[in-house]
Amino acid sequence: MCAASHVTFFFLKRYRAGGGEDMGTVLDIKIKRANKVYKEGELLSGVVVVVSKDTVQHQGIFLTMEGSVSLQLSAKSVGVFEAFYNSVKPIQIISNTVEMVKPGKLPSGKTEIPFEFPLIVKSNKVLYETYHGVFVNIQYTLRCDMKRSLLAKDLTKNCEFIIHSQPQKGKQSPSPVDFTITPETLQNVKERASLPRFLIRGHLDSSNCVITQPLTGELMVETSEVAIKSIELQLVRVETCGCAEGYARDATEIQNIQIAEGDVCRGLPIPIYMVFPRLFTCPTLETTNFKIEFEVNIVVVLQDDHLITENFPLKLYRL
């Protein structure tokens, strides 16, 4: 009984050791820059680290740098564009593989193998900014593979690095947006006569936004017949994926920030302030196969649970 339990433990340990670690041998990738952020034309550098208690026999160590755009359809669009999956495979932006160490042995202890990759793409390609979305993902990874003999499992380690797009050429001028929200200005309302009376005014300082700076503005509730429960800012991503058959456009929430709670004082200026989250936003992007756009909703929740929503398209760019 004791021997059987010992064998079970051994196999569990072997199974768990798949991600760059195997029975005393650890494989890791360390990128030189702590924030892992690079731009097109720069040199991506770092070291592959192998730590082992014993001498490591291997059939070669390879390092692959890849960047790709993966597109996906929402459940509601799958039936509409059945050919989508055949026509849109992941779009490869950059790919490069090097053999770092030829087959042989590595000594026990810690071995560091330096690497460098120039971040240069072919003339018709662009290094889009890293973006983690729902239906569109732009991701750049390093993958190190240590090939082993038949008896030992190959070791693999993955590591993501971040690409920031080049600053936009030409000066973007601010585009302030003034807004007034009343029952008459609302769209998609079935029974307008039954709505309570309210007047909300405000402004966004600009709908052209530098991605590293906050979205700012001001809002004021001048009148409202019904008590207010909450006022919120909702940042929305609008992702469009397409092929020859057509385009699927999906809007999903990135974040929701409450800027006021309870029945706010009438005539009191309420600041609008929202920081754009890293990785989940990127400069507004439009290509042949996909688009990434952003919008902000100002949502006023009344005490009777009526929702008043005003939508503003945003253009994000990098300076």
Side-chain angles (χ1 to χ4, degrees), residues 191-207:
E191 297 176 10
R192 202 178 295 273
S194 65
L195 286 177
R197 304 301 302 167
F198 55 83
L199 172 60
I200 300 165
R201 293 185 200 275
H203 68 270
L204 296 178
D205 292 330
S206 179
S207 61

Side-chain angles (χ1 to χ4, degrees), residues 231-235 255-260 273-275:
I231 303 175
E232 295 158 10
L233 279 181
Q234 182 187 44
L235 183 63
Q255 66 181 13
N256 198 80
I257 295 173
Q258 187 181 45
I259 59 171
Y273 188 96
M274 178 185 274
V275 174

Side-chain angles (χ1 to χ4, degrees), residues 27 29 48 61-63 142-146 155-157:
L27 185 65
I29 302 170
V48 167
I61 298 175
F62 298 85
L63 189 64
L142 285 169
R143 190 185 77 245
C144 184
D145 295 296
M146 182 192 280
L155 289 184
T156 299
K157 180 70 179 179

Side-chain angles (χ1 to χ4, degrees), residues 245-296:
E245 288 190 334
Y247 288 85
R249 188 176 185 272
D250 291 281
T252 49
E253 181 185 293
I254 299 174
Q255 66 181 13
N256 198 80
I257 295 173
Q258 187 181 45
I259 59 171
E261 182 177 14
D263 196 17
V264 296
C265 297
R266 307 301 184 251
L268 176 74
I270 299 166
I272 291 171
Y273 188 96
M274 178 185 274
V275 174
F276 296 109
R278 192 169 171 257
L279 303 181
F280 297 105
T281 54
C282 68
T284 302
L285 183 58
E286 184 170 348
T287 74
T288 314
N289 295 98
F290 66 94
K291 275 199 296 189
I292 304 169
E293 300 164 294
F294 298 93
E295 297 174 351
V296 69

